[in-house]
Structure formats: C-alpha cells, structure tokens
C-alpha cells in the first residue's frame, strides 16, 4: 500500500474497482485546513478521464507494472498491433489506451505498460519526440518568418500540426508527441 506522498505522474492505482493511471497531480497545502492531493486520473480500461482529490496520508492501492519496448506494426478498426522485437510475440491495444495516436507510424518503437499480475496491457507511451515528413502545407512567403507566425500542416500519418511559415512540403520536422507542437526542422 502506498500513500498520497508516493503519487507521481504515470503511477497506476486500483481505485473504485478499476485500474487508473495518474496523468496530472498537484500537492496542495492550504494555509488553513489539512493538505490534499488534486489528481487527474485516466481509466486504463475505457479511457475515461476523471478529477479526484485525495486527503493527505490517504492509502492508495498501487498496481505493479512492467514496461517493455514494442514495435508498432499496424492498426485496424478497433485498435493497434505491436510486436516484441525479442521474441516476436504480438500484443493488441485498444484505441483509447494510447494518447496522441495520430503520431504513430509503422516501425516506431513504443513503451507498453503491463500489469505484472496478469500480463494485461495497460497503456502505450510514444517516445517524447518523433520525426515526420510534411505531406501538405500552404507555401510560405519569404520574409514572413520574423513574426513567429505559424500555418497548418499535415504529416505523413494525417496528423494536423502548426508549423512556421518557412516549412514546405517534403520537409522533415521533429514533433513533441505530448502536445503535438513543432520542435525543429530536420536537415538531412
């Protein structure tokens, strides 16, 4: 059993007859009254996001998880298929279990969290940054780059992002998968 002092981003807990992953948390110590922890929880079974407040010292049931690297193969109507590069076993994950799946392309390596007791996949985490090719964007005008203006662009996976005006079709860009923001242009 853990307490609220052990809460951290990515921790999986059993709560309300379900397994939840902590997405965000904030320890709050008001000037008057007891301390508490404000959390945002995501259900690993159905993807539902919920806000909850735990009082300080509250006991939480921590779920033991293991992480393994898997390679993304393909997706179908219901979810995604991954392969373990060590033993070539495959695992299937529902669409709601992956955040920002629009940045997932064939051959990418992701980290999958498994519940240690029954080997059930809980979620998949993309790498923090991915490199993608821009397949469509409006042409930028020379000289407009000093204003920090951005324009919409479509990546090779169909994801919509905002890029600076100097980015053209065919350019490769580095993207932050947490918020879908443009990081830099990759020169080859």
């Amino acid at each position: 059993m853990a307490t609220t002092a052990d809460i951290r981003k990515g921790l999986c807990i059993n709560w309300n007859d379900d397994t939840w992953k902590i997405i965000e948390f904030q320890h709050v110590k008001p000037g008057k009254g007891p301390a508490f922890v404000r959390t945002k929880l995501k259900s690993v079974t159905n993807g539902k996001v919920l806000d909850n407040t735990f009082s300080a010292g509250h006991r939480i049931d921590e779920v033991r998880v293991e992480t393994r690297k898997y390679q993304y193969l393909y997706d179908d109507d219901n979810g995604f298929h991954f392969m373990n590069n060590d033993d070539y076993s495959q695992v299937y994950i529902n669409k709601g279990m992956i955040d920002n799946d629009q940045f997932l392309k064939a051959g990418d390596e992701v980290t999958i969290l498994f519940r240690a007791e029954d080997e059930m996949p809980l979620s998949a985490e993309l790498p923090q940054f991915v490199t993608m090719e821009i397949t469509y964007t409006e042409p930028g005008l020379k000289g407009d780059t000093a204003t920090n203006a951005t324009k919409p662009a479509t990546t090779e996976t169909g994801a919509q992002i905002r890029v600076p005006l100097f980015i053209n079709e065919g350019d490769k860009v580095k993207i932050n998968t947490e918020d879908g923001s443009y990081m830099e242009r990759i020169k080859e």
Side-chain angles (χ1 to χ4, degrees):
M1 285 293 244
T3 65
T4 54
D6 301 318
I7 288 180
R8 64 188 180 280
K9 186 177 177 182
L11 178 72
C12 292
I13 62 172
N14 280 327
W15 182 70
N16 278 2
D17 300 325
D18 199 0
T19 302
W20 299 82
K21 182 177 179 182
I22 296 175
I23 301 172
E24 296 176 11
F25 73 98
Q26 179 183 17
H27 289 278
V28 178
K29 175 68 175 106
K32 188 175 188 181
F36 57 90
V37 179
R38 200 175 282 135
T39 61
K40 187 175 280 192
L41 307 169
K42 181 177 181 179
S43 172
V44 296
T45 55
N46 58 21
K48 184 173 150 183
V49 176
L50 182 72
D51 290 325
N52 188 53
T53 302
F54 294 102
S55 58
H58 182 84
R59 296 249 177 235
I60 53 176
D61 186 16
E62 188 175 355
V63 176
R64 203 173 118 243
V65 295
E66 295 176 358
T67 59
R68 296 186 206 125
K69 298 281 188 186
Y70 276 75
Q71 181 181 13
Y72 172 60
L73 297 175
Y74 64 94
D75 67 328
D76 56 21
D77 293 337
N78 299 322
F80 302 94
H81 296 268
F82 297 92
M83 178 183 69
N84 187 335
N85 286 332
D86 296 332
D87 61 4
Y88 304 109
S89 63
Q90 292 190 15
V91 68
Y92 171 81
I93 293 186
N94 293 327
K95 287 200 184 270
M97 297 170 100
I98 302 177
D99 295 332
N100 296 327
D101 58 3
Q102 70 269 22
F103 299 117
L104 201 56
K105 62 181 182 179
D108 281 355
E109 194 171 84
V110 300
T111 303
I112 299 181
L113 281 94
F114 289 92
R115 186 167 36 205
E117 311 158 350
D118 56 2
E119 292 294 316
M120 182 180 125
L122 298 176
S123 68
E125 297 175 356
L126 276 66
Q128 185 173 3
F129 302 106
V130 293
T131 301
M132 295 201 161
E133 184 176 336
I134 300 297
T135 57
Y136 176 76
T137 189
E138 297 291 328
L141 301 173
K142 193 169 183 110
D144 280 347
T145 57
T147 61
N148 265 351
T150 60
K151 61 183 178 179
T154 305
T155 65
E156 60 190 281
T157 60
Q160 299 290 323
I161 62 169
R162 306 237 7 127
V163 297
L165 297 175
F166 60 84
I167 299 294
N168 298 311
E169 287 182 21
D171 287 351
K172 290 192 183 281
V173 296
K174 185 177 183 181
I175 302 169
N176 184 344
T177 58
E178 288 182 9
D179 57 5
S181 62
Y182 164 86
M183 298 307 292
E184 64 182 349
R185 178 170 48 179
I186 304 295
K187 295 178 177 60
E188 295 178 343

